[in-house]
Amino acid sequence: MRVLLHAIALSVLAMISGPAQAQVLTFDQLNGWQDDDHAQALRAFVQTCDKLDDPVWHPICNLARDTPPDGARAFFELFFRPTMTGSPPALFTGYFEPELDGSPIRTPRFAYPIYRRPPDLVDGAPWYSRADIEGAGVLRGRGLEIAWLADPVDVYFLQIQGSGRIRMPDGHVIRVGYAGKNNQPYRSIGQELVRRGIFDASQVSADVIQNWVRQNPGAGQTLMNTNPSFVFFRKIADLAPNEGPIGAMGRSIMAGRSVAIDPAHVPLGAPVWIEKDGAEPMRRLMIAQDTGGAIKGAQRADIFIGTGRKAGLDAGRIKDPGRLIVLMPIDLAFAMASNG
């Protein structure tokens, strides 16, 4: 059985185009491990572990469902080994689910649409750019508008976050989630502002960018168009108000326990130990349940903070170093180390 598991682990490893080096650590080497709420992490892990297709995860997922909260730490220590790939320092950022006012129809106040996925969009094939869509208007008149917002900056940052809640004039709230992208490269407009000498890198945050674009509407639209990537949405009808948005695994994600990673380096659904430094250090076990266009590399992660304005402010302040350590099933962890 162990030989079979090792063979499965090697096949899984071959599907992860990760870096050449992997280091297996002990749990004693994880700063703050003993102080975390492992039961919360276990609850998040169970939320999506059945979506892990690789056979090496199946028995672990079955055992996770039967593990009581007070056995969560022992569960992770028994079946996983901390594995670090890439070279710290990591880069941690934060993201959130916006709450915005909107309208189901265009009005003088609500004049900027968010779109559902066009039927002629093909995954992996480059489509029209942001400038084509918002400037040339290639989608106008096609009936693809889901809702209309009051501010083009809100439209842009809703796309960056990938999900949101939109309150209609009658008080009804719709939830929207990621439905696809135009397969154009993502370019950071924050980095573009730094490149132009408008701000230093230390000054750039989501709030700073939004304020600058709003104060300079013409130049702001041109700035946003330097990012050709464009995101399409879908309505999500069966999500309770207390549930987080839908992540890349098709399930609701959990504030403070879900993280977006690069699936070329970290398997979606894997537990991830976060050691984030900065003004507000974080030592926490999270689950890799989401992805993002700007999340690239083995030591890169975007932490889901929550919903609403405060969550947005908190998320916008996160731009911190540290290290990211993936908890891998034991056989897979040592297969990664021997591969390095």
Side-chain angles (χ1 to χ4, degrees):
M1 174 63 74
R2 190 171 182 82
V3 172
L4 176 60
L5 286 174
H6 188 73
I8 292 171
L10 288 172
S11 69
V12 173
L13 178 62
M15 293 186 286
I16 302 174
S17 56
Q21 294 185 348
Q23 180 184 4
V24 178
L25 307 177
T26 67
F27 285 95
D28 289 339
Q29 292 175 284
L30 306 186
N31 299 325
W33 169 259
Q34 67 278 4
D35 299 321
D36 193 26
D37 186 345
H38 302 88
Q40 283 278 18
L42 179 64
R43 186 159 71 91
F45 177 67
V46 169
Q47 177 81 357
T48 51
C49 70
D50 66 311
K51 303 284 282 185
L52 287 155
D53 293 331
D54 305 318
V56 73
W57 293 91
H58 294 174
I60 294 174
C61 185
N62 291 335
L63 289 165
R65 294 192 193 97
D66 295 331
T67 299
D70 60 1
R73 176 178 168 181
F75 165 80
F76 288 114
E77 292 178 351
L78 183 61
F79 295 107
F80 295 88
R81 288 296 179 269
T83 307
M84 187 167 66
T85 57
S87 299
L91 173 59
F92 295 109
T93 51
Y95 72 112
F96 74 110
E97 182 186 29
E99 291 181 316
L100 303 166
D101 290 331
S103 170
I105 59 172
R106 182 171 183 168
T107 70
R109 178 186 175 193
F110 299 109
Y112 301 95
I114 62 169
Y115 293 105
R116 63 176 52 87
R117 180 188 175 113
D120 51 327
L121 178 67
V122 177
D123 287 336
W127 206 67
Y128 294 105
S129 70
R130 176 177 300 277
D132 294 327
I133 296 168
E134 296 196 329
V138 297
L139 289 180
R140 289 175 193 158
R142 295 186 59 179
L144 296 174
E145 298 87 355
I146 293 177
W148 301 77
L149 305 183
D151 186 346
V153 180
D154 286 340
V155 173
Y156 183 90
F157 279 89
L158 181 63
Q159 292 184 25
I160 297 297
Q161 303 305 322
S163 61
R165 306 183 190 211
I166 303 174
R167 184 176 300 278
M168 300 301 178
D170 64 358
H172 175 65
V173 175
I174 67 168
R175 305 282 293 272
V176 295
Y178 177 87
K181 60 183 179 179
N182 63 345
N183 304 304
Q184 296 276 0
Y186 174 86
R187 296 195 178 102
S188 166
I189 62 172
Q191 291 180 8
E192 179 65 15
L193 286 170
V194 173
R195 189 190 69 79
R196 296 180 183 182
I198 297 172
F199 295 107
D200 293 331
S202 62
Q203 297 174 305
V204 173
S205 68
D207 263 5
V208 166
I209 296 169
Q210 291 179 49
N211 289 336
W212 188 90
V213 173
R214 290 184 175 117
Q215 291 166 11
N216 302 272
Q221 185 61 59
T222 301
L223 174 72
M224 291 189 291
N225 285 345
T226 64
N227 176 20
S229 178
F230 195 92
V231 169
F232 302 100
F233 294 94
R234 63 187 177 95
K235 283 186 181 181
I236 302 173
D238 55 350
L239 205 55
N242 64 329
E243 292 183 309
I246 300 298
M249 300 186 75
R251 300 280 172 78
S252 180
I253 59 177
M254 185 184 299
R257 289 292 169 181
S258 298
V259 65
I261 47 76
D262 182 350
H265 297 271
V266 179
L268 272 171
V272 177
W273 178 251
I274 298 297
E275 293 182 7
K276 184 187 79 66
D277 299 327
E280 298 181 3
M282 181 181 292
R283 308 288 186 258
R284 190 175 298 175
L285 184 59
M286 300 187 179
I287 311 301
Q289 294 171 319
D290 211 354
T291 60
I295 311 304
K296 301 296 181 185
Q299 289 288 315
R300 180 72 175 93
D302 208 15
I303 300 166
F304 177 61
I305 301 302
T307 298
R309 173 68 177 166
K310 183 180 184 305
L313 292 172
D314 292 344
R317 288 194 291 265
I318 300 174
K319 190 178 182 181
D320 297 318
R323 65 176 185 168
L324 183 153
I325 298 163
V326 184
L327 269 58
M328 299 295 287
I330 294 172
D331 284 273
L332 184 52
F334 284 105
M336 291 173 68
S338 63
N339 183 68

